[in-house]
Amino acid sequence: MRFMTKTLELHTILEMISSHAKTDTIKEDILNLEPMIEEEMILESLEETYDMTTLVSRASFLPLIDDFDIQHLLKYAHLNRSYTIQDLLYIRLFLSMERDVLKYGRELDRMKISSKSIGKYFSSIISNQSLLQLIDSKMDPDGQILDDATPELFSIRKEISRHEKTLQDRLNKMLIDYSSYLNEAVIVIRNNRFCIPVKDAFKNKIKGVIHDMSASKQTIYIEPEQTRQITAEIETLKIKEENEIQKIIYFLSEQVQQSYDALASNLDIFLHLDFLQAKAIYAKNHGSNRPSINKRGFIKLVKAKHPLLNPLEAVPIDVELSDQLRILLITGPNTGGKTVALKTVGLLTLMTQCGLLIPASESSEIAIFDQVFADIGDEQSIMQSLSTFSSHLTKIIKMTEEVTDNTLVLLDELGSGTDPNEGVSLAIAILNHFKTYNLRMMVTTHYSELKSYAYEQNHMGTASVAFDKKTLKPLYFLQMGTTGSSHAFLIAKRLGLKDEIINDANVIYQGRQTDLQKVMEKLNDEMLYLESQKEKVRAELEKARTEKKNYHDLKEKLIAEQDQIIQKIKDKEEKKWHDLKEEVRALILDLQNKKSLSNPEIAQIKYQLNQKAEEEHLKLFDEELIVGDQVYIMSYQQYGTIKAIKNDDYKVSVGQFDLTFKSTDLRKETMKKPEKKELRPKKVSEDQTPTKKGNYELDLRGFRFDEVKDAMDQAIDSALLSGLSVLRIIHGFGSGAVRKAVYDYIRQSPYVKTHRFGGEGEGLNGVTIITLK
């Protein structure tokens, strides 16, 4: 089994991916990646990489720290040895990262970002937060053991602090006492002891130990006898402090050793997540997708790009190989993209078998091969082709010896570098040999004889790199089913070769062309035309599909909006109904608590019910009311016209009256007022009352004396039920009989609160205004 990864530059891709890894262990693992051939392993690897790419895109990068691999420290757990402070700091960083990764996993759950392939790793992480809390309680972030790590350490450091203060006080006192003996009033350290700088002439004046002498020998550094005992005690306490620190470190080391299994398991998980994230970051940066895979030898690359080319400039290609088309012959001009096409197919195949996503459409499909052979150039850059015939042939010989079924073979410029006739013959013979195997093969060539050979063979097809004859520039994408010319004459013309030379070459070429070649060239032109027409049809079909989808989406949107509107109206009406239902219940409960109802109470209840009914037909006026506006007077249930406005007082003409109201009592008229019919005074029969229900006015002109009582009863009942508190009775002047009947009724009625004759503009003594209780 051989995979020519170097020729196809897989190592360059792996180097780019490894740069995203956090640990040296994973960087090395990535650089050593080899293509897999087990379908299940490839599927699992692709799925994990795809899920991690989705996770990184939707959430963020995993909170992994640089160089978190503590495998070398965990080995000490079996050696029963104590860690150093630095080791414990690394372990604490690892535990902090563990805490952050667990928090990251919980955040994914909150965001409802789930993945079976990745989620299993988060659920397998074992929390060691108790160990982290223990370490935090013993040392600070810089690795200094805290004073309260143990009671013993706290006591020792407290004693050290007390002694150091005493020592400092004594030294300061000596600086004052022996100031005349000193060169300067400072305390210096010599041999880790506190000394004072004494003049050489007075060195015998101060008892103590000499630790140093200045270069001029004028200053002697003496540790005074009075401080030596305190210094010795401090040194003893320092030794006790160090011993206690070692006990704490040993205790922490034991706790880490007891957590070895959990730490080792988490480390393996984090390393694998680091591996997946490195692949995911590369895939995200290069717009890569997960292809389908198969073991049927079916290759279908859609909009594939070579990952080492500039993604903004690279032209995507479409390539297809299958059991019916096992060998693909690619023709076309130099620098037209033939070699790039070969490398793209080979490299994307290797990347897929390494579990990497590829820069191609998600509808692409890659076959799993047991071997991938490639003879492309002299292992130079994809932009060059400096190979020789011997180097080509040496590689091809090895391929012929090792080739088997289910092999992908990529040959660039087969048969080139030698005599054309011999080269063509050798190329056809090599193809005949490879044809005996069930393999997939791509070959590039300039030989016309190979184009003819491809047309005659089963399971063999042609493709060409597109070339723009108008601009004389290659277009770099592949045209399946066509054979392309090298376009040497056109390129020579673009480069400036004289026309007579080009014309002469064209004549010579036409003479050497066989009839078959001419037919093939004509067929090729027709196929190119058909391909262009097919492309137009595909574009129109895609456009139609897009429009169909847009119409469908619009339809679904409108239906959804319609449903929302209907539901909104339904909810609004249901709420309104429930509110009315509650008001009715409250009203019934209030009525049940009353033994009897007075007429004003009945009128008030009627007023409330009328208000609810009328509210549906009224619109609150939210603009400034002006003189001349038609308004509805809610308290009177009558329409009127605004005559004058002063502050918030509105003078409204209602019938023959001019009354004053507040703005809150008025609503701008939104309903068309019913047309008023002209009322003519007429005498009514005994069985008819000439009044309107709820009218604020009762016209009794033409009535007989005995008809007044019934008319007054009905008018007052209607006014009370309608919520009116004022009633205008027109009785006229006449003989005074009707007016007397009205006043007799008023004196006897329990519903009349006050009464008066009409004022100026109200009808004077021909009208009586009554106020109801």
Side-chain angles (χ1 to χ4, degrees):
M1 180 178 66
R2 293 184 56 203
F3 293 95
M4 293 186 173
T5 57
K6 185 177 181 181
T7 301
L8 295 171
E9 299 178 287
L10 177 64
H11 63 285
T12 306
I13 301 296
L14 297 181
E15 287 174 358
M16 296 170 68
I17 296 173
S18 67
S19 66
H20 300 297
K22 298 291 186 179
T23 59
D24 292 338
T25 301
I26 296 305
K27 288 181 180 179
E28 185 176 353
D29 289 347
I30 292 173
L31 292 175
N32 293 329
L33 267 181
E34 290 287 341
M36 300 174 283
I37 60 174
E38 296 82 4
E39 186 175 7
E40 290 184 1
M41 293 180 63
I42 297 173
L43 279 172
E44 181 181 2
S45 182
L46 286 174
E47 182 179 8
E48 288 185 347
T49 305
Y50 175 78
D51 288 347
M52 180 61 78
T53 305
T54 303
L55 185 151
V56 167
S57 300
R58 293 184 59 188
S60 60
F61 297 141
L62 288 168
L64 303 176
I65 61 176
D66 292 333
D67 300 321
F68 66 80
D69 188 0
I70 58 170
Q71 184 60 47
H72 62 290
L73 297 178
L74 294 181
K75 292 179 181 178
Y76 296 160
H78 295 299
L79 302 178
N80 197 29
R81 56 164 285 185
S82 179
Y83 291 112
T84 64
I85 292 288
Q86 192 65 32
D87 294 339
L88 291 173
L89 284 175
Y90 276 121
I91 293 173
R92 180 164 65 180
L93 283 174
F94 180 84
L95 294 172
S96 299
M97 184 188 74
E98 173 196 288
R99 176 196 60 206
D100 294 340
V101 173
L102 285 170
K103 182 180 178 182
Y104 181 89
R106 291 191 296 270
E107 184 65 17
L108 293 180
D109 293 338
R110 189 189 67 80
M111 297 171 64
K112 297 182 179 179
I113 301 176
S114 60
S115 166
K116 290 183 179 179
S117 65
I118 304 298
K120 63 184 180 183
Y121 295 113
F122 286 104
S123 60
S124 299
I125 298 174
I126 303 170
S127 176
N128 293 287
Q129 291 310 294
S130 58
L131 178 59
L132 176 60
Q133 292 172 358
L134 177 63
I135 296 177
D136 285 340
S137 69
K138 302 298 181 183
M139 64 170 61
D140 66 13
D142 297 325
Q144 297 295 321
I145 302 298
L146 299 174
D147 293 346
D148 57 353
T150 63
E152 292 79 5
L153 183 62
F154 181 81
S155 176
I156 293 171
R157 286 184 172 174
K158 184 177 180 181
E159 197 66 20
I160 291 174
S161 178
R162 186 178 65 82
H163 279 70
E164 286 179 342
K165 186 176 184 307
T166 301
L167 177 62
Q168 196 69 29
D169 291 343
R170 288 195 180 182
L171 288 171
N172 288 332
K173 185 175 182 303
M174 293 183 70
L175 289 177
I176 297 173
D177 294 343
Y178 299 133
S179 58
S180 58
Y181 301 153
L182 305 179
N183 266 334
E184 53 183 331
V186 296
I187 299 171
V188 298
I189 296 178
R190 293 291 186 272
N191 297 328
N192 294 322
R193 296 299 181 104
F194 290 100
C195 303
I196 55 177
V198 182
K199 296 177 182 178
D200 181 63
F202 302 108
K203 62 182 178 181
N204 296 322
K205 295 290 183 178
I206 299 176
K207 293 183 178 181
V209 177
I210 297 175
H211 286 281
D212 199 4
M213 179 185 298
S214 66
S216 63
K217 297 183 180 181
Q218 297 299 313
T219 303
I220 308 298
Y221 298 100
I222 299 175
E223 178 188 7
E225 187 68 30
Q226 296 95 316
T227 63
R228 292 189 63 201
Q229 181 63 31
I230 300 176
T231 302
E233 292 177 358
I234 290 175
E235 289 177 347
T236 301
L237 289 171
K238 291 282 188 181
I239 294 173
K240 290 182 179 180
E241 178 189 27
E242 183 60 30
N243 291 337
E244 187 62 27
I245 289 174
Q246 291 303 316
K247 289 180 182 179
I248 295 170
I249 292 174
Y250 185 77
F251 171 72
L252 294 176
S253 300
E254 285 184 327
Q255 300 304 308
V256 172
Q257 291 163 6
Q258 291 176 11
S259 302
Y260 169 80
D261 292 337
L263 292 172
S265 175
N266 289 351
L267 177 60
D268 291 339
I269 292 173
F270 296 152
L271 288 173
H272 190 65
L273 290 175
D274 185 25
F275 175 71
L276 294 178
Q277 180 171 255
K279 295 197 295 181
I281 294 174
Y282 174 83
K284 179 176 179 290
N285 293 343
H286 289 76
S288 301
N289 291 298
R290 173 180 56 179
S292 302
I293 62 172
N294 67 83
K295 299 208 72 171
R296 308 186 314 274
F298 178 64
I299 296 177
K300 180 184 178 183
L301 288 179
V302 181
K303 296 181 179 179
K305 295 183 179 181
H306 194 288
L308 296 181
L309 296 178
N310 186 335
L312 300 178
E313 298 177 358
V315 178
I317 62 171
D318 296 345
V319 182
E320 187 169 320
L321 290 174
S322 63
D323 193 50
Q324 290 74 36
L325 180 60
R326 299 178 183 176
I327 301 177
L328 183 65
L329 185 73
I330 303 176
T331 59
N334 288 323
T335 70
K338 301 189 301 296
T339 303
V340 173
L342 257 64
K343 280 200 167 187
T344 300
V345 173
L347 182 54
L348 298 193
T349 297
L350 294 178
M351 289 176 65
T352 301
Q353 292 190 223
C354 287
L356 305 175
L357 305 188
I358 60 174
S361 169
E362 56 189 9
S363 60
S364 300
E365 192 163 351
I366 295 289
I368 301 172
F369 293 103
D370 296 332
Q371 300 184 107
V372 176
F373 295 153
D375 174 30
I376 301 174
D378 241 349
E379 296 186 359
Q380 300 292 324
S381 167
I382 61 174
M383 300 302 293
Q384 300 180 25
S385 179
L386 304 177
S387 59
T388 62
F389 175 74
S390 58
S391 64
H392 277 294
L393 195 57
T394 301
K395 295 174 186 176
I396 293 174
I397 291 172
K398 292 182 180 179
M399 295 180 192
T400 59
E401 294 172 350
E402 300 178 6
V403 68
T404 60
D405 291 340
N406 198 35
T407 298
L408 176 63
V409 181
L410 307 169
L411 300 178
D412 189 26
E413 301 292 350
L414 180 61
S416 63
T418 186
D419 178 79
N421 292 327
E422 293 181 357
V424 168
S425 301
L426 190 59
I428 293 175
I430 291 172
L431 291 174
N432 285 337
H433 175 76
F434 282 124
K435 275 175 52 184
T436 61
Y437 296 92
N438 185 13
L439 47 68
R440 301 294 177 266
M441 187 173 184
M442 293 177 64
V443 180
T444 66
T445 185
H446 287 284
Y447 292 140
S448 299
E449 292 84 353
L450 287 182
K451 303 175 188 178
S452 304
Y453 169 80
Y455 274 112
E456 299 170 353
Q457 304 302 313
N458 295 326
H459 307 299
M460 191 169 180
T462 59
S464 63
V465 289
F467 186 84
D468 191 335
K469 293 183 179 180
K470 294 182 179 180
T471 62
L472 303 181
K473 292 182 179 180
L475 301 177
Y476 300 108
F477 62 86
L478 283 181
Q479 295 174 314
M480 298 293 293
T482 64
T483 57
S485 169
S486 297
H487 299 292
F489 302 152
L490 294 176
I491 294 174
K493 183 176 181 179
R494 185 188 68 180
L495 295 176
L497 188 64
K498 293 181 178 181
D499 289 342
E500 56 267 26
I501 298 177
I502 294 175
N503 293 333
D504 188 23
N506 194 36
V507 171
I508 297 172
Y509 175 73
Q510 294 293 335
R512 299 186 61 180
Q513 261 192 322
T514 64
D515 291 338
L516 177 61
Q517 289 174 331
K518 293 178 181 179
V519 170
M520 286 175 54
E521 188 169 320
K522 183 178 180 181
L523 288 174
N524 187 62
D525 291 339
E526 292 178 353
M527 289 180 66
L528 288 174
Y529 173 76
L530 290 176
E531 282 296 322
S532 65
Q533 295 302 309
K534 284 171 62 178
E535 188 62 34
K536 291 181 180 179
V537 172
R538 279 195 292 267
E540 290 295 328
L541 181 60
E542 185 63 30
K543 180 180 178 182
R545 287 173 177 169
T546 302
E547 291 179 351
K548 180 180 178 181
K549 183 178 182 302
N550 291 339
Y551 285 135
H552 180 268
D553 293 343
L554 180 59
K555 177 184 175 182
E556 294 296 324
K557 180 182 178 182
L558 291 176
I559 291 175
E561 290 178 352
Q562 174 182 302
D563 292 341
Q564 290 176 359
I565 293 172
I566 292 174
Q567 187 63 40
K568 186 177 180 180
I569 294 173
K570 180 181 176 183
D571 293 342
K572 180 181 178 182
E573 294 301 320
E574 285 183 352
K575 182 179 184 301
K576 189 185 301 180
W577 183 82
H578 283 299
D579 291 343
L580 291 173
K581 185 177 177 182
E582 290 301 320
E583 289 183 14
V584 170
R585 285 179 178 174
L587 187 57
I588 292 173
L589 182 62
D590 188 42
L591 293 175
Q592 288 174 345
N593 294 332
K594 295 180 181 289
K595 293 182 179 181
S596 61
L597 293 175
S598 63
N599 283 338
E601 288 174 331
I602 294 175
Q604 180 63 27
I605 293 171
K606 181 65 176 178
Y607 171 71
Q608 291 177 357
L609 295 176
N610 285 341
Q611 284 294 96
K612 292 297 178 184
E614 290 294 332
E615 282 178 0
E616 294 302 313
H617 305 288
L618 297 176
K619 178 181 179 181
L620 289 176
F621 188 73
D622 54 359
E623 298 179 0
E624 184 180 0
L625 292 170
I626 60 175
V627 175
D629 279 345
Q630 297 293 316
V631 293
Y632 181 79
I633 308 166
M634 293 186 293
S635 58
Y636 277 39
Q637 294 186 327
Q638 297 294 328
Y639 292 94
T641 304
I642 297 177
K643 294 298 183 182
I645 302 174
K646 184 176 182 181
N647 297 328
D648 195 39
D649 295 328
Y650 292 80
K651 188 175 183 181
V652 181
S653 175
V654 185
Q656 298 180 4
F657 298 97
D658 288 339
L659 305 176
T660 301
F661 300 94
K662 297 293 185 182
S663 62
T664 54
D665 294 327
L666 305 177
R667 296 292 182 268
K668 187 158 187 179
E669 179 186 0
T670 57
M671 294 178 59
K672 184 177 180 181
K673 288 175 57 177
E675 295 181 2
K676 292 184 178 181
K677 295 183 179 179
E678 185 179 355
L679 297 177
R680 296 180 180 177
K682 65 178 181 177
K683 184 176 180 180
V684 297
S685 65
E686 296 179 358
D687 299 329
Q688 189 175 10
T689 302
T691 60
K692 291 183 178 180
K693 183 178 180 181
N695 202 337
Y696 68 91
E697 184 178 275
L698 175 61
D699 192 349
L700 295 176
R701 289 175 293 184
F703 279 63
R704 295 196 299 268
F705 182 88
D706 57 351
E707 294 174 339
V708 172
K709 183 178 183 303
D710 291 338
M712 289 289 289
D713 283 339
Q714 291 189 24
I716 290 177
D717 286 346
S718 297
L720 289 172
L721 291 173
S722 300
L724 299 179
S725 59
V726 177
L727 194 60
R728 181 171 179 259
I729 310 300
I730 304 174
H731 43 69
F733 297 95
S735 62
V738 175
R739 181 176 60 185
K740 182 178 183 304
V742 170
Y743 276 79
D744 288 345
Y745 181 92
I746 291 174
R747 284 193 294 268
Q748 296 174 2
S749 175
Y751 306 120
V752 178
K753 182 178 181 181
T754 62
H755 66 280
R756 63 177 175 81
F757 283 120
E760 187 173 351
E762 293 180 325
L764 301 175
N765 292 347
V767 172
T768 296
I769 308 296
I770 65 174
T771 304
L772 302 177
K773 293 181 180 179

